[in-house]
Amino acid sequence: MSTAAAKEFRTIENIVGPLVFVTGVEGIGYSEIAEIILPDGSIRRGKVLETQEGRALIQVFEGTSNLDPGSARVRFTAKGQEIGLSPDMVGRVFDGFGRLTDGGPPIIPDKYANINGVPMNPYARDYPNEFIQTGISTIDVLNPLVRGQKLPIFSGSGMPHNRMAAQIARQATVLKSGEKFGVVFAAMGITFEESNFFIEDFKRTGALERSVMFINLADDPAIERISIPRLALTTAEYLAYELGMHILVILTDMTNYCEALREISAARKEVPSRRGYPGYLYTDLATIYERAGRLKGKDGSITQIPILTMPEDDKTHPVPDLTGYITEGQIILGRSFHAEGVYPPVDVLPSLSRLKDKGIGKGKTREDHAGVMNQLYAAYARGKNAQELAVVLGESALTPLDLRYMEFARRFEAEFITQAENENRDIEDNLNLGWKLLGILPSAELKRIRPEFVEKYYVATE
Amino acid sequence: MATERSSGTIVKVSGPLVVARGLSGSRMFEMAKVGGLGLLGEIIEIRGDQYSIQVYEETEDIAPGQPVEPTGQPLSVELGPGLLQSIYDGVQRPLDKLMAGYGEFIVRGAEAAALDREKKWAFTATAGVGDEVGPGDILGTVPETELITHRIMVPPNVSGKIDSIKSGDFTVEETVAVIVDKDGGKHECALMQKWPVRVPRPIDHKLAPITPLLTGQRIIDTLFPVAKGGTACVPGPFGSGKTVVQHQLAKWADADIVIFIGCGERGNEMTDVLMEFPELTDPKSGRPIMERTVLVANTSNMPVAAREASVFTGITMAEYYRDMGYSVALMADSTSRWAEAMREMSGRLEEMPGDEGYPAYLASRLAGFYERAGLVVALGKEQRRSSVTIIGAVSPAGGDTSEPVTQGTLRVTKVFWGLDDQLAFQRHFPAINWLTSYSLYLDVTDPWYDEEVYPDWSKNRRQAMLILKKEADLQELVRLVGMDSLSPADRLLMEAARLIREDFLNQSAFDDIDTFSSRKKQALLLDAILHYYAVALKHIDEGAELASMLDLPVMEDISRAKLIPEKELDARFADLKIKIEKAIKESAAPE
């Protein structure tokens, strides 16, 4: 339909960081893709960030090094950024521009889709309420993950978030069988070693056969990191809603994504909000995270586990903060647990899954799940308080009941939180483990659990 | 209407901001259709010949040179029967119709009328031919839902004599009455009227709020009540339960009409509301609460400019039902997202930023919004008294309430429910911090409660607050020197405070019974806990051992008392008080 075919210009005026200003242009659409052709014939791709009469601003994905305003040509494609989609993508590895990098045969796309996606009508959404069993106690019992949820892992440098994400990708099952399950993995600015860990782990466990990987390493162009999550999610939407698969999307590391966004914002001299991040960071992150979900009348689903490293383990840093406002809960890893050798080092108290209530209970996990979850939380919180008190005043100052709570907290950390990297705990076993630990406390203390369940499951430990 | 409006041409596109030239005759805040797809936008700045338009849809592919068509209308909402039970986006497009017409995703340029044009409503005229009517006078009624009778009013700018009026079945656009003004001009009145969202609907006059809004949430109703027609804000970091508090209020508030605005929030949460509300019934009438609810859902991934509009769309609908004489409660979750949308547009307009990049007019916009709440006497002969109560959630960045949106909100709202993530971590819900929260309506609500609900209401409330404050002081001491150093009376106070916290303030939104407490139950429950404290204190003063007052089996009864069914309140609580007295007496002086 477009009357103007590809328009080509030789009029680059300025180059500032990743941005290129082209003059003398006409009718360039916002957000369309431009190709910058170097004299040697190589092509760099970019996206129009702002368009005016006679002037367009392009953000170049592959960086602007070696660009010479005099010799480079710019061609506008009159199309937004698209990705070719096909069922054959499963099992393959792509780069930050959607090109294959695994050396395998090319893929013939069934269709092309704009990577920016279209917002889902909230009315068309189906509420996520199917429990996903990850085999990790701190997630399954305390912060249950459901299909269609977005549950990030807030971590810090040097903590085992990657191992944990790989364990989830490996073990995640729904308590119903016979459904197609897949993983879309998007890596933004992670190191070769981290990326290699995932690829090897996926290969070793056979997960690669049901995965699509998009990899942008730390030394790849930073600007490509802005497209990667969108490429991954467009692929995920295709697999989920058109092929009916249940897709787990792992995005790592979102902090690198946000830094790439900040880089562009700074180059455009935009008014910054907190810590130099652009004012639209929340909106931008939402266009990524909100692409998780389920649709009424469709089989597939998209569940997201974004991973981000909190600078200085600071939860109030804009990246974790804004993420937390969009995602449905968060799993927070604790540095002190990690130092004590606890794996997975999930800091239980501030971790939360907002969609837990609809995914658990009778018919889904077990009738006593909600009560056990709340009781474990409350008891652990009280145990930790008692521990603090004991540090200041000595154990002798504690009441016998507080001593029991302290004992509970200690064993909770050692037996419940801690588990092996290949240990896949069934939800039933997990809840029984919870009851075993609650047995340390007198039954009258279990106020968060319905009396009939206390009657049924409670056994006092000697 | 007099000025000619010419169509314009786009000269610049930057995200949701489009600049066009040649729109002479168009005014500030008028709507325009942008580009070939006719995307909806609003003129927000005029500099010479350059008109800046914020576009309510994604602007990809929009290019300089494309046309802009002015509509001559400001951003308006349609008001009439059929609003209730609807779910709209930020610019009042019905999401269910969009789904039926365009599929699961919101495509650009999608259009759907806010009110169904086909549906016939049964209109019963209550005014007659020859009646002199003015703005706000009622022409007739339409049974909109089982719960709500929709009153068709004379629009705010019309008055005169009724020339004709007829009962019968009409669509929202058909004329039901003709009014002739004193100059002989004829005004055709339909069931539907339109109103620009940025202009508050006129009222006769405002009154000071007098009655509390019942929410069924113990910490709110008892300790920090909000009055009907008042304003409240709920700030809290993520994970502290803001949204659950807002949902609880939307479900249980005893307003006639509830408007819930999901402004830049999570899609799945909106779905939760959409799926859950139709199944909930109003405790008073037994009808589904959707019959009194309008939902506005502009989730965080929907266009940012429409998010800015969603708050105004919601409040205008609220004012419309207020004008009919209903009490309306409006929940906005979250106003921070609204403020961020303003910030984004302000940045694109290259305005000089104020605090943290927010525009300098942030505080005045916030104040303008909250001032649209109030207890009023509506326009019209009947002098109907009605109210709009606004409860706004605030999501401060990093949980730091010193940021501009929270501060701007605190200056204009009278109730503060401060959410505390430390309480949430202990799974104490609602995680409203009783030490930092406040209500400035207490001097109004205390006498009302004492009179209407329970004679000792305000006395008990004051005592409970005192115990909680004292507990916080004592806790400092305990941290330094240990529990043993406290006097028996102080130890008992700590115990009473624990009971108030765990058995009164802690309330489960997910338990079928506990999710809503009537005022009477709240009064009796607090009274029972304070009764324990009073009796035990008396025994201690008389020399009883402290240990004999703690860990009594009757504590179990107190902690389960919140689950006593509404019908058995009087008898069971009277029993409980006797049981408490007996248990303490026996324990203090065993036979």
Side-chain angles (χ1 to χ4, degrees), chain A residues 164-220:
Chain A
M164 202 175 154
Q167 186 177 5
I168 295 171
R170 218 163 42 224
Q171 298 182 351
T173 47
V174 184
L175 299 179
K176 264 192 277 176
S177 54
E179 291 181 311
K180 287 184 286 179
F181 178 74
V183 175
V184 172
F185 178 81
M188 291 154 276
I190 64 172
T191 61
F192 169 77
E193 278 170 51
E194 285 171 308
S195 137
N196 196 46
F197 164 78
F198 277 106
I199 296 182
E200 288 306 316
D201 190 83
F202 280 25
K203 269 190 192 152
R204 187 171 54 81
T205 57
L208 190 64
E209 286 158 39
R210 50 184 175 118
S211 307
V212 186
M213 303 183 95
F214 291 88
I215 308 249
N216 165 282
L217 295 181
D219 56 351
D220 288 336

Side-chain angles (χ1 to χ4, degrees), chain B residues 38 128 136 158 173 232 234 250 278 296 332 358 438 443 494 496 523 554:
Chain B
V158 175
E173 287 178 310
V234 201
V296 179
Y358 285 102
Y438 59 80
D443 46 346
M494 297 284 280
V554 75

Side-chain angles (χ1 to χ4, degrees), chain B residues 197-212:
Chain B
V197 298
R198 295 187 194 277
V199 183
R201 283 176 62 88
I203 50 168
D204 197 288
H205 61 275
K206 261 194 187 185
L207 302 166
I210 37 174
T211 51

